[in-house]
Amino acid sequence: PVAYTNEGGFQTSEKPSVALNLVLKLQPLEWLGMDLAYSPNYWQSDGSVYNKSIQTYSWDGRPSFLSPQQSSLTVTNTRNVQNNLRYTLNIEKTLGDNYLKLLAGFQQEDYRRDDLEGYREIFTFDSYPFLNAGGQANQRSYGFAEEWAIQSFFGRANYDYRGRYLFEANYRFDGSSRFAKDNRWGGFPSVSAGWRISEENFFSLLKNHVDNLKIRASWGRLGNQNIGTYPSSSTVTLQQIYAFDGKSADGAAITNMANREISWETTTVTNVGIDANLGERFSIVAEYFHKRTENILLTLDVPKITGLAAPYQKVGIWA
C-alpha cells in the first residue's frame, strides 16, 4: 500500500468553463419594448489516469511480481458548447378600463459535444507519462460527437377589464432536430380565463362577508421530446468485429431500427378552480385538475430475428 500511494501513478482532472449572458433592452415607445438575449456556455473536461507498474518484493528482498503488469495511460477530453438566443417583442397598453398586453418571441437553442480518448501501454520512462512516450502495440483511440437544436416561435395575449374579467391565450410552435423533417414541428396552445365575481355590483351586499370570490378555468397543451438525439435515423455503428478468412476485422453496421413517423409527445392539462376569502383569517381554494399525456414514445419488443434494436413508437397514454 505504501508503494502504490507514493509511486502508483496519478489521476488528474481539469474542468474549465465559461458562461455569458448578454442582454440588450430597447424601449423605443412607452408602450413598446424589445429584448434580445444571447447566452453562450462552454465547458470542458480534461482527464488523465496513469497506472504505473509497481515492482513488489518478498520478505527476503527478492523481486516478487509486477502490479499491474504494464504501465498504462488514458487521456480523455470532452468539449461542450451550448448557445441560447432569445428575442421578444412586448406591447402593453391601457385604454380606459381595458388593459392589453401582447408578447411575441423567438428562441433557438443548440448544443454540441465532442469526446476524444487515447490509450497506450509500456512506458520506458515513467517520469514522462505522455501518450507519445508509450508503446504502439496496444494503443487505442476513441471519439464521437453529437449535436441537437430546437427552435420556438411563441406568443401571449393578456386582457383585463377593470380587474373583473381576466383572459390569457398562449401559443407555441416548436421544432426539434430529434424528429424527421416532416414531423419536426408541433403547435401547442393554451387559454385561461377568470371572473372576479366579487367585483360585480350585484355582489356588494356580500362584501362584508366575502372579500374576494373568483372563478377560473384553464386548458393547455405542451410538447415533450425527451428521447435520444437521433431516434428517427438509422445510424451506422462503427467498430463492429467481423470474421473474414479466419481472422477478425473491423467493420460497420446498422444496429438500430428507426421510425421517421415519431413526433412530439403531447400533454393536455385542464384546470377549474374557485378562490374565496372570507374575512382576513379564512380562505377557500377548490380545484379540479386533469392531466393526460398521449403519443408517449416507447420502445416495444420486436422479433429478435431482425438483429436490430427496437425503434421508438407513439404508443403510450398516461391519464
Side-chain angles (χ1 to χ4, degrees):
V2 174
Y4 286 124
T5 301
N6 297 333
E7 303 292 340
F10 59 83
Q11 179 174 339
T12 64
S13 178
E14 295 182 356
K15 297 183 178 181
S17 64
V18 59
L20 300 176
N21 189 27
L22 309 175
V23 180
L24 176 63
K25 292 182 176 289
L26 299 175
Q27 191 79 32
L29 298 172
E30 182 181 354
W31 50 269
L32 177 64
M34 293 177 284
D35 292 347
L36 177 62
Y38 175 55
S39 302
N41 190 0
Y42 175 86
W43 66 101
Q44 181 172 318
S45 178
D46 298 315
S48 297
V49 178
Y50 182 53
N51 291 318
K52 182 180 177 182
S53 182
I54 300 298
Q55 177 67 60
T56 63
Y57 298 87
S58 60
W59 63 272
D60 57 0
R62 290 180 300 171
S64 179
F65 61 88
L66 289 172
S67 178
Q69 290 295 311
Q70 302 288 351
S71 297
S72 64
L73 175 64
T74 303
V75 178
T76 58
N77 172 262
T78 301
R79 291 183 297 172
N80 304 268
V81 180
Q82 187 168 0
N83 296 292
N84 194 324
L85 177 66
R86 303 177 302 278
Y87 174 75
T88 57
L89 177 68
N90 299 275
I91 297 175
E92 189 171 2
K93 196 75 173 176
T94 300
L95 301 172
D97 294 332
N98 301 278
Y99 170 78
L100 180 65
K101 185 176 181 180
L102 302 175
L103 178 144
F106 168 79
Q107 181 174 5
Q108 176 174 301
E109 188 175 357
D110 60 80
Y111 169 81
R112 180 179 174 91
R113 172 179 174 175
D114 293 88
D115 273 24
L116 183 63
E117 179 179 307
Y119 173 86
R120 282 197 181 188
E121 298 176 344
I122 310 177
F123 286 80
T124 305
F125 303 101
D126 289 331
S127 61
Y128 192 76
F130 295 94
L131 282 179
N132 63 341
Q136 300 183 21
N138 294 318
Q139 65 177 339
R140 297 192 297 270
S141 62
Y142 166 81
F144 86 98
E146 65 174 355
E147 57 185 352
W148 55 260
I150 183 171
Q151 286 185 346
S152 300
F153 298 88
F154 53 89
R156 181 175 67 231
N158 294 87
Y159 175 74
D160 178 352
Y161 176 74
R162 301 181 64 179
R164 184 182 303 172
Y165 308 116
L166 311 172
F167 177 79
E168 179 177 305
N170 295 272
Y171 188 77
R172 294 185 61 90
F173 191 54
D174 298 327
S176 173
S177 64
R178 300 176 190 267
F179 303 118
K181 185 177 180 180
D182 294 337
N183 298 295
R184 183 161 294 168
W185 293 90
F188 307 103
S190 67
V191 292
S192 62
W195 178 26
R196 295 188 65 190
I197 304 176
S198 56
E199 298 299 315
E200 298 288 357
N201 294 330
F202 64 78
F203 199 82
S204 59
L205 296 177
L206 299 177
K207 272 291 188 178
N208 294 331
H209 305 285
V210 182
D211 296 337
N212 177 60
L213 178 62
K214 181 171 70 173
I215 298 176
R216 49 187 168 78
S218 64
W219 176 92
R221 178 172 291 164
L222 287 176
N224 178 40
Q225 42 109 42
N226 187 25
I227 52 178
T229 310
Y230 310 109
S232 61
S233 301
S234 291
T235 56
V236 176
T237 302
L238 304 177
Q239 297 181 343
Q240 300 296 298
I241 306 300
Y242 292 87
F244 290 102
D245 195 21
K247 298 180 181 179
S248 62
D250 290 336
I254 295 177
T255 58
N256 67 295
M257 299 177 67
N259 184 359
R260 297 183 61 83
E261 300 303 317
I262 61 174
S263 188
W264 294 84
E265 298 177 353
T266 55
T267 298
T268 304
V269 179
T270 303
N271 179 248
V272 178
I274 298 176
D275 301 329
N277 294 336
L278 309 179
E280 297 181 356
R281 299 185 178 182
F282 190 68
S283 62
I284 297 174
V285 177
E287 300 273 355
Y288 169 78
F289 178 84
H290 182 263
K291 180 179 180 181
R292 178 183 176 90
T293 302
E294 300 176 299
N295 297 325
I296 299 177
L297 299 171
L298 301 173
T299 55
L300 304 182
D301 291 337
V302 295
K304 299 297 184 182
I305 194 173
T306 63
L308 301 175
Y312 280 100
Q313 301 181 58
K314 299 188 296 182
V315 293
I317 296 177
W318 184 89

